[in-house]
Amino acid sequence: MTYLTRATALAGALLVAAGLLAAGPARAASRDDLQGNWLYLTVTKGDARSGDTRGTLLLCDPPQGHAHAAKACAQLAKAEGDPGRIAVRSGFCPMIWAPVTARARGRWNGRPVRFQETYASQCVMTARTGSVFTFDG
């Protein structure tokens, strides 16, 4: 099972647990079924065609579905839901080329959100997007 398949299954399980999706085959949920602020987040390591993609559904009303949900939701609230507007953290990242591509899609304050950016490394991505794309606990 690939990371993307696992992430999709996890996102569905979170929706069922949150009561946003029925557990049966009656109908598929559309993005319009989700209320509040939410983003489906993915990070792809290496070449975009590598298939090494991890993802999660971040719900912010209340924060859940993400190892750092409360912190990520707070950072996104300050940036009006745009991961690209999160305040850049100062610090040092080694000059190692290990590209990662971060993607987000969802809704924030009723507006659609679409974000995609490739960073030189995981360290650079975290420095520029805070906890939003940090899925590990």
Side-chain angles (χ1 to χ4, degrees):
M1 187 180 283
T2 68
Y3 284 116
L4 188 55
T5 303
R6 286 185 214 153
T8 303
L10 176 62
L14 288 170
L15 290 172
V16 169
L20 299 172
L21 176 66
R27 67 177 184 92
S30 73
R31 288 181 265 162
D32 296 331
D33 291 340
L34 290 172
Q35 300 298 313
N37 296 327
W38 63 274
L39 295 176
Y40 182 68
L41 308 165
T42 61
V43 175
T44 303
K45 291 183 179 180
D47 184 329
R49 296 164 295 194
S50 73
D52 188 7
T53 299
R54 297 183 61 212
T56 192
L57 178 65
L58 172 65
L59 302 172
C60 289
D61 299 315
Q64 57 186 323
H66 186 291
H68 306 279
K71 195 172 193 179
C73 290
Q75 290 168 338
L76 284 164
K78 289 180 184 176
E80 298 178 14
D82 182 354
R85 294 183 59 195
I86 291 175
V88 175
R89 186 185 78 205
S90 63
F92 173 78
C93 285
M95 293 180 64
I96 297 172
W97 179 250
V100 292
T101 299
R103 292 179 183 86
R105 65 175 176 79
R107 295 196 71 72
W108 198 270
N109 293 334
R111 294 184 334 270
V113 173
R114 292 224 182 266
F115 173 84
Q116 179 175 323
E117 187 69 41
T118 299
Y119 300 97
S121 68
Q122 180 91 25
C123 179
V124 173
M125 178 185 70
T126 301
R128 296 197 181 150
T129 63
S131 296
V132 174
F133 294 98
T134 305
F135 303 150
D136 299 329

